[in-house]
Amino acid sequence: MVVPAFEKNQMKRKTKATAKKMTTKTTAIHKAWHSAAPGLLGTIGLALVTLICFRLQVGLATAALLYLMIVVLVSLKGCFISSIVVSVVADVCLDYFFTTPLFTEQGILMERSSEPNFPQ
């Protein structure tokens, strides 16, 4: 039996539509992973940059520039929430590992006095 060309085209269209429906079906886990992946990769990148910069004893400006590059890459690829998380982690790492006194969070938790300290 010979199938007319019109029926062949209809069968191809149905097959393509069914294939699209099957491939575009995503679950909540996939959506959550795709939104969290850039944040996790950015945090891993920050950890690696922190380790390398701290071992090489680079300065504050160099580490800050490398952190900024990672934050910008995450903000281009990821969502707003992952960008904020990576930015806060970068700020804490920069303050903890590269500002004096080392291994303290003086910049974040420092209490400011009500009167400024002007030189006399």
Side-chain angles (χ1 to χ4, degrees):
M1 181 174 159
V2 176
V3 180
F6 177 75
E7 289 181 16
K8 284 184 182 179
N9 288 338
Q10 290 295 329
M11 288 173 46
K12 286 182 182 178
R13 287 183 185 154
K14 287 180 183 178
T15 307
K16 287 181 182 178
T18 306
K20 278 186 179 179
K21 286 181 184 177
M22 293 177 75
T23 57
T24 58
K25 192 182 263 186
T26 58
T27 61
I29 294 172
H30 289 99
K31 288 180 183 178
W33 175 250
H34 285 295
S35 64
L40 291 174
L41 291 175
T43 306
I44 292 169
L46 285 174
L48 289 174
V49 167
T50 302
L51 178 70
I52 292 169
C53 289
F54 190 72
R55 291 285 183 173
L56 295 176
Q57 296 178 352
V58 299
L60 176 68
T62 306
L65 184 63
L66 292 173
Y67 284 168
L68 182 64
M69 287 180 190
I70 292 174
V71 169
V72 167
L73 289 174
V74 169
S75 66
L76 287 175
K77 206 67 174 148
C79 65
F80 181 71
I81 301 296
S82 64
S83 301
I84 293 296
V85 168
V86 171
S87 176
V88 168
V89 169
D91 183 43
V92 169
C93 286
L94 188 67
D95 184 41
Y96 191 78
F97 288 103
F98 296 103
T99 57
T100 55
L102 291 178
F103 306 117
T104 60
E105 296 179 4
Q106 290 288 329
I108 296 171
L109 301 175
M110 188 170 82
E111 293 186 28
R112 302 186 187 275
S113 63
S114 60
E115 49 189 74
N117 296 328
F118 291 114
Q120 297 188 16

